[in-house]
Amino acid sequence: MATVTFPSTPDCEIVSSRVVNFSQELVFKAWTDPNHLKNWWGPKGFTNTFEEFDLRPGGRWKFVMHAPDKGNFQNECEFVKIEKPSEIAWIRISKPLFNIVATFEKIADDQTKIVFRMVFDTPEECAKLRPYVVDKNEENFDRLENELSKMTL
C-alpha cells in the first residue's frame, strides 16, 4: 500500500524521529495496543483515560489527557490508515487540528526508526505549537522507550 500523504510544506509540519533498540513489531504494538499506548502517550507526567479506541480506517480514538499539574484535555481522532507493522495515520477532530503520520522502519531485527510527522493546515498554526511540541515529542519518545522495555520483560 502507498504511504498516506497530507499535502504540506516544511513550514506546516513538525517532524520528530528516533531510532529505538526494539523490533518493528514490538514498536507497532506499543502504538496500537491501547493497554500499552495509554501508559506512554503524552509528555512526561501526563496520564490518559481512553474512552474509545477503534483501530481501523474510519475508527475513532477518544481519550482524555490528564496534565500532572492541573487540567484535563479532551482528544478525538479518526484513524485513516493502519498498515501493520509499518505505518499508522490519523486526523485530529479536536483542537488543535493537525494530521499525523507515524512510520516504523525496520533497521535491524532489534532496531526501528520511528518518524512522527505532524501536518498543520497553515504555517501560523504550526508556528504556534512548534516551540512546545518538539521537546514534548522527545519526552513522549522517552516514555515509549520505557514502555517498550517493560514489554520485553
mmCIF file of all heavy atoms in Angstrom, residues 110-139:
data_model
loop_
_atom_site.group_PDB
_atom_site.id
_atom_site.type_symbol
_atom_site.label_atom_id
_atom_site.label_comp_id
_atom_site.label_asym_id
_atom_site.label_seq_id
_atom_site.Cartn_x
_atom_site.Cartn_y
_atom_site.Cartn_z
ATOM 1 N N ASP A 110 16.296 -5.896 15.901
ATOM 2 C CA ASP A 110 16.022 -5.260 17.193
ATOM 3 C C ASP A 110 16.245 -3.742 17.137
ATOM 4 O O ASP A 110 16.623 -3.122 18.124
ATOM 5 C CB ASP A 110 16.902 -5.884 18.282
ATOM 6 C CG ASP A 110 18.381 -5.694 18.002
ATOM 7 O OD1 ASP A 110 18.750 -5.269 16.882
ATOM 8 O OD2 ASP A 110 19.188 -5.967 18.910
ATOM 9 N N GLN A 111 15.981 -3.154 15.988
ATOM 10 C CA GLN A 111 16.166 -1.710 15.846
ATOM 11 C C GLN A 111 15.148 -1.159 14.848
ATOM 12 O O GLN A 111 15.001 -1.680 13.745
ATOM 13 C CB GLN A 111 17.591 -1.408 15.375
ATOM 14 C CG GLN A 111 18.066 -0.046 15.773
ATOM 15 C CD GLN A 111 19.553 0.121 15.494
ATOM 16 O OE1 GLN A 111 20.025 -0.183 14.387
ATOM 17 N NE2 GLN A 111 20.283 0.583 16.489
ATOM 18 N N THR A 112 14.466 -0.085 15.262
ATOM 19 C CA THR A 112 13.408 0.507 14.457
ATOM 20 C C THR A 112 13.546 2.015 14.450
ATOM 21 O O THR A 112 13.786 2.628 15.503
ATOM 22 C CB THR A 112 12.021 0.128 15.035
ATOM 23 O OG1 THR A 112 11.930 -1.298 15.117
ATOM 24 C CG2 THR A 112 10.888 0.677 14.184
ATOM 25 N N LYS A 113 13.385 2.607 13.279
ATOM 26 C CA LYS A 113 13.360 4.066 13.173
ATOM 27 C C LYS A 113 11.902 4.513 13.157
ATOM 28 O O LYS A 113 11.117 4.081 12.314
ATOM 29 C CB LYS A 113 14.058 4.541 11.903
ATOM 30 C CG LYS A 113 14.041 6.067 11.772
ATOM 31 C CD LYS A 113 14.744 6.541 10.517
ATOM 32 C CE LYS A 113 14.740 8.070 10.458
ATOM 33 N NZ LYS A 113 15.434 8.557 9.261
ATOM 34 N N ILE A 114 11.567 5.392 14.104
ATOM 35 C CA ILE A 114 10.222 5.959 14.199
ATOM 36 C C ILE A 114 10.273 7.371 13.631
ATOM 37 O O ILE A 114 11.149 8.155 14.004
ATOM 38 C CB ILE A 114 9.759 6.026 15.666
ATOM 39 C CG1 ILE A 114 9.780 4.647 16.307
ATOM 40 C CG2 ILE A 114 8.376 6.674 15.756
ATOM 41 C CD1 ILE A 114 9.687 4.677 17.821
ATOM 42 N N VAL A 115 9.346 7.683 12.736
ATOM 43 C CA VAL A 115 9.189 9.052 12.234
ATOM 44 C C VAL A 115 7.758 9.469 12.543
ATOM 45 O O VAL A 115 6.807 8.802 12.129
ATOM 46 C CB VAL A 115 9.485 9.164 10.726
ATOM 47 C CG1 VAL A 115 9.246 10.595 10.243
ATOM 48 C CG2 VAL A 115 10.917 8.727 10.427
ATOM 49 N N PHE A 116 7.630 10.556 13.305
ATOM 50 C CA PHE A 116 6.340 11.073 13.755
ATOM 51 C C PHE A 116 6.160 12.438 13.112
ATOM 52 O O PHE A 116 6.867 13.380 13.428
ATOM 53 C CB PHE A 116 6.369 11.178 15.288
ATOM 54 C CG PHE A 116 5.076 11.618 15.908
ATOM 55 C CD1 PHE A 116 3.981 10.775 15.931
ATOM 56 C CD2 PHE A 116 4.969 12.867 16.498
ATOM 57 C CE1 PHE A 116 2.797 11.175 16.538
ATOM 58 C CE2 PHE A 116 3.792 13.273 17.096
ATOM 59 C CZ PHE A 116 2.702 12.427 17.120
ATOM 60 N N ARG A 117 5.228 12.507 12.156
ATOM 61 C CA ARG A 117 5.046 13.710 11.350
ATOM 62 C C ARG A 117 3.694 14.343 11.658
ATOM 63 O O ARG A 117 2.656 13.706 11.488
ATOM 64 C CB ARG A 117 5.144 13.315 9.877
ATOM 65 C CG ARG A 117 5.090 14.454 8.911
ATOM 66 C CD ARG A 117 5.412 13.941 7.491
ATOM 67 N NE ARG A 117 4.968 14.907 6.527
ATOM 68 C CZ ARG A 117 3.988 14.731 5.652
ATOM 69 N NH1 ARG A 117 3.348 13.588 5.590
ATOM 70 N NH2 ARG A 117 3.654 15.693 4.830
ATOM 71 N N MET A 118 3.723 15.591 12.114
ATOM 72 C CA MET A 118 2.514 16.367 12.415
ATOM 73 C C MET A 118 2.364 17.396 11.305
ATOM 74 O O MET A 118 3.276 18.185 11.064
ATOM 75 C CB MET A 118 2.661 17.083 13.758
ATOM 76 C CG MET A 118 2.994 16.165 14.910
ATOM 77 S SD MET A 118 3.479 17.082 16.405
ATOM 78 C CE MET A 118 1.907 17.801 16.880
ATOM 79 N N VAL A 119 1.210 17.391 10.630
ATOM 80 C CA VAL A 119 0.993 18.277 9.488
ATOM 81 C C VAL A 119 -0.176 19.219 9.785
ATOM 82 O O VAL A 119 -1.285 18.764 10.068
ATOM 83 C CB VAL A 119 0.701 17.470 8.201
ATOM 84 C CG1 VAL A 119 0.540 18.409 7.011
ATOM 85 C CG2 VAL A 119 1.803 16.451 7.938
ATOM 86 N N PHE A 120 0.099 20.513 9.719
ATOM 87 C CA PHE A 120 -0.880 21.555 10.013
ATOM 88 C C PHE A 120 -1.378 22.183 8.718
ATOM 89 O O PHE A 120 -0.690 22.173 7.707
ATOM 90 C CB PHE A 120 -0.240 22.639 10.890
ATOM 91 C CG PHE A 120 0.209 22.120 12.225
ATOM 92 C CD1 PHE A 120 1.425 21.464 12.364
ATOM 93 C CD2 PHE A 120 -0.574 22.298 13.356
ATOM 94 C CE1 PHE A 120 1.851 20.981 13.601
ATOM 95 C CE2 PHE A 120 -0.163 21.825 14.589
ATOM 96 C CZ PHE A 120 1.050 21.155 14.710
ATOM 97 N N ASP A 121 -2.569 22.780 8.782
ATOM 98 C CA ASP A 121 -3.146 23.426 7.601
ATOM 99 C C ASP A 121 -2.409 24.697 7.199
ATOM 100 O O ASP A 121 -2.336 25.029 6.023
ATOM 101 C CB ASP A 121 -4.623 23.754 7.829
ATOM 102 C CG ASP A 121 -5.495 22.514 7.809
ATOM 103 O OD1 ASP A 121 -5.080 21.492 7.227
ATOM 104 O OD2 ASP A 121 -6.602 22.567 8.388
ATOM 105 N N THR A 122 -1.898 25.427 8.197
ATOM 106 C CA THR A 122 -1.241 26.706 7.894
ATOM 107 C C THR A 122 0.082 26.829 8.640
ATOM 108 O O THR A 122 0.253 26.229 9.705
ATOM 109 C CB THR A 122 -2.133 27.906 8.307
ATOM 110 O OG1 THR A 122 -2.235 27.917 9.734
ATOM 111 C CG2 THR A 122 -3.517 27.825 7.668
ATOM 112 N N PRO A 123 0.999 27.625 8.112
ATOM 113 C CA PRO A 123 2.261 27.877 8.826
ATOM 114 C C PRO A 123 2.012 28.519 10.196
ATOM 115 O O PRO A 123 2.743 28.241 11.150
ATOM 116 C CB PRO A 123 3.025 28.833 7.909
ATOM 117 C CG PRO A 123 2.432 28.623 6.551
ATOM 118 C CD PRO A 123 0.995 28.250 6.783
ATOM 119 N N GLU A 124 0.983 29.339 10.299
ATOM 120 C CA GLU A 124 0.692 30.024 11.566
ATOM 121 C C GLU A 124 0.305 29.026 12.654
ATOM 122 O O GLU A 124 0.767 29.127 13.791
ATOM 123 C CB GLU A 124 -0.437 31.056 11.369
ATOM 124 C CG GLU A 124 -0.077 32.216 10.467
ATOM 125 C CD GLU A 124 -0.085 31.882 8.961
ATOM 126 O OE1 GLU A 124 -0.749 30.902 8.551
ATOM 127 O OE2 GLU A 124 0.596 32.602 8.199
ATOM 128 N N GLU A 125 -0.553 28.065 12.298
ATOM 129 C CA GLU A 125 -0.960 27.047 13.268
ATOM 130 C C GLU A 125 0.251 26.230 13.715
ATOM 131 O O GLU A 125 0.408 25.918 14.894
ATOM 132 C CB GLU A 125 -2.018 26.131 12.665
ATOM 133 C CG GLU A 125 -3.365 26.799 12.483
ATOM 134 C CD GLU A 125 -4.349 25.883 11.767
ATOM 135 O OE1 GLU A 125 -4.437 24.692 12.129
ATOM 136 O OE2 GLU A 125 -5.029 26.367 10.839
ATOM 137 N N CYS A 126 1.094 25.890 12.771
ATOM 138 C CA CYS A 126 2.297 25.126 13.078
ATOM 139 C C CYS A 126 3.236 25.930 13.981
ATOM 140 O O CYS A 126 3.755 25.413 14.973
ATOM 141 C CB CYS A 126 2.997 24.736 11.779
ATOM 142 S SG CYS A 126 4.420 23.669 12.001
ATOM 143 N N ALA A 127 3.426 27.188 13.667
ATOM 144 C CA ALA A 127 4.346 28.047 14.433
ATOM 145 C C ALA A 127 3.892 28.218 15.877
ATOM 146 O O ALA A 127 4.724 28.348 16.779
ATOM 147 C CB ALA A 127 4.477 29.403 13.754
ATOM 148 N N LYS A 128 2.582 28.216 16.109
ATOM 149 C CA LYS A 128 2.054 28.364 17.471
ATOM 150 C C LYS A 128 2.482 27.201 18.367
ATOM 151 O O LYS A 128 2.780 27.400 19.536
ATOM 152 C CB LYS A 128 0.520 28.407 17.460
ATOM 153 C CG LYS A 128 -0.066 29.771 17.251
ATOM 154 C CD LYS A 128 -1.565 29.743 17.545
ATOM 155 C CE LYS A 128 -2.341 29.790 16.251
ATOM 156 N NZ LYS A 128 -3.780 29.754 16.413
ATOM 157 N N LEU A 129 2.501 25.998 17.821
ATOM 158 C CA LEU A 129 2.810 24.817 18.633
ATOM 159 C C LEU A 129 4.271 24.397 18.593
ATOM 160 O O LEU A 129 4.744 23.728 19.502
ATOM 161 C CB LEU A 129 1.932 23.641 18.201
ATOM 162 C CG LEU A 129 0.455 23.770 18.550
ATOM 163 C CD1 LEU A 129 -0.306 22.539 18.109
ATOM 164 C CD2 LEU A 129 0.247 24.006 20.033
ATOM 165 N N ARG A 130 4.987 24.788 17.541
ATOM 166 C CA ARG A 130 6.375 24.329 17.383
ATOM 167 C C ARG A 130 7.252 24.558 18.624
ATOM 168 O O ARG A 130 8.008 23.658 19.014
ATOM 169 C CB ARG A 130 7.016 24.973 16.146
ATOM 170 C CG ARG A 130 8.377 24.380 15.802
ATOM 171 C CD ARG A 130 9.030 25.041 14.586
ATOM 172 N NE ARG A 130 8.222 24.995 13.388
ATOM 173 C CZ ARG A 130 8.182 23.967 12.540
ATOM 174 N NH1 ARG A 130 8.901 22.899 12.776
ATOM 175 N NH2 ARG A 130 7.435 24.027 11.462
ATOM 176 N N PRO A 131 7.172 25.721 19.298
ATOM 177 C CA PRO A 131 8.052 25.934 20.453
ATOM 178 C C PRO A 131 7.868 24.911 21.583
ATOM 179 O O PRO A 131 8.779 24.684 22.362
ATOM 180 C CB PRO A 131 7.678 27.333 20.945
ATOM 181 C CG PRO A 131 7.047 27.997 19.763
ATOM 182 C CD PRO A 131 6.365 26.907 18.995
ATOM 183 N N TYR A 132 6.689 24.298 21.665
ATOM 184 C CA TYR A 132 6.408 23.345 22.734
ATOM 185 C C TYR A 132 6.528 21.902 22.277
ATOM 186 O O TYR A 132 7.012 21.050 23.010
ATOM 187 C CB TYR A 132 4.975 23.547 23.259
ATOM 188 C CG TYR A 132 4.651 24.984 23.537
ATOM 189 C CD1 TYR A 132 3.913 25.747 22.637
ATOM 190 C CD2 TYR A 132 5.112 25.610 24.692
ATOM 191 C CE1 TYR A 132 3.631 27.080 22.881
ATOM 192 C CE2 TYR A 132 4.840 26.940 24.943
ATOM 193 C CZ TYR A 132 4.095 27.679 24.038
ATOM 194 O OH TYR A 132 3.827 28.988 24.270
ATOM 195 N N VAL A 133 6.074 21.652 21.076
ATOM 196 C CA VAL A 133 5.894 20.282 20.604
ATOM 197 C C VAL A 133 7.210 19.531 20.424
ATOM 198 O O VAL A 133 7.288 18.345 20.748
ATOM 199 C CB VAL A 133 5.074 20.287 19.290
ATOM 200 C CG1 VAL A 133 5.115 18.943 18.598
ATOM 201 C CG2 VAL A 133 3.648 20.692 19.580
ATOM 202 N N VAL A 134 8.244 20.172 19.953
ATOM 203 C CA VAL A 134 9.493 19.464 19.663
ATOM 204 C C VAL A 134 10.021 18.775 20.922
ATOM 205 O O VAL A 134 10.286 17.566 20.925
ATOM 206 C CB VAL A 134 10.535 20.413 19.036
ATOM 207 C CG1 VAL A 134 11.871 19.719 18.877
ATOM 208 C CG2 VAL A 134 10.028 20.923 17.676
ATOM 209 N N ASP A 135 10.131 19.521 22.034
ATOM 210 C CA ASP A 135 10.613 18.928 23.288
ATOM 211 C C ASP A 135 9.631 17.909 23.843
ATOM 212 O O ASP A 135 10.032 16.870 24.378
ATOM 213 C CB ASP A 135 10.876 20.008 24.337
ATOM 214 C CG ASP A 135 12.117 20.838 24.016
ATOM 215 O OD1 ASP A 135 12.949 20.392 23.192
ATOM 216 O OD2 ASP A 135 12.249 21.924 24.598
ATOM 217 N N LYS A 136 8.342 18.195 23.741
ATOM 218 C CA LYS A 136 7.320 17.274 24.266
ATOM 219 C C LYS A 136 7.306 15.963 23.479
ATOM 220 O O LYS A 136 7.090 14.894 24.057
ATOM 221 C CB LYS A 136 5.933 17.916 24.266
ATOM 222 C CG LYS A 136 5.821 19.138 25.161
ATOM 223 C CD LYS A 136 6.254 18.851 26.584
ATOM 224 C CE LYS A 136 6.194 20.073 27.461
ATOM 225 N NZ LYS A 136 6.865 19.877 28.751
ATOM 226 N N ASN A 137 7.558 16.011 22.179
ATOM 227 C CA ASN A 137 7.649 14.778 21.400
ATOM 228 C C ASN A 137 8.827 13.931 21.869
ATOM 229 O O ASN A 137 8.743 12.704 21.902
ATOM 230 C CB ASN A 137 7.762 15.079 19.907
ATOM 231 C CG ASN A 137 6.431 15.466 19.284
ATOM 232 O OD1 ASN A 137 5.386 15.367 19.914
ATOM 233 N ND2 ASN A 137 6.475 15.927 18.049
ATOM 234 N N GLU A 138 9.924 14.584 22.246
ATOM 235 C CA GLU A 138 11.076 13.832 22.767
ATOM 236 C C GLU A 138 10.718 13.163 24.090
ATOM 237 O O GLU A 138 11.112 12.021 24.340
ATOM 238 C CB GLU A 138 12.289 14.760 22.930
ATOM 239 C CG GLU A 138 12.890 15.207 21.610
ATOM 240 C CD GLU A 138 13.331 14.053 20.714
ATOM 241 O OE1 GLU A 138 13.955 13.087 21.216
ATOM 242 O OE2 GLU A 138 13.058 14.107 19.502
ATOM 243 N N GLU A 139 9.975 13.866 24.954
ATOM 244 C CA GLU A 139 9.515 13.267 26.206
ATOM 245 C C GLU A 139 8.617 12.067 25.910
ATOM 246 O O GLU A 139 8.689 11.043 26.596
ATOM 247 C CB GLU A 139 8.750 14.288 27.051
ATOM 248 C CG GLU A 139 9.611 15.386 27.619
ATOM 249 C CD GLU A 139 8.813 16.426 28.405
ATOM 250 O OE1 GLU A 139 7.616 16.193 28.709
ATOM 251 O OE2 GLU A 139 9.394 17.477 28.727
#
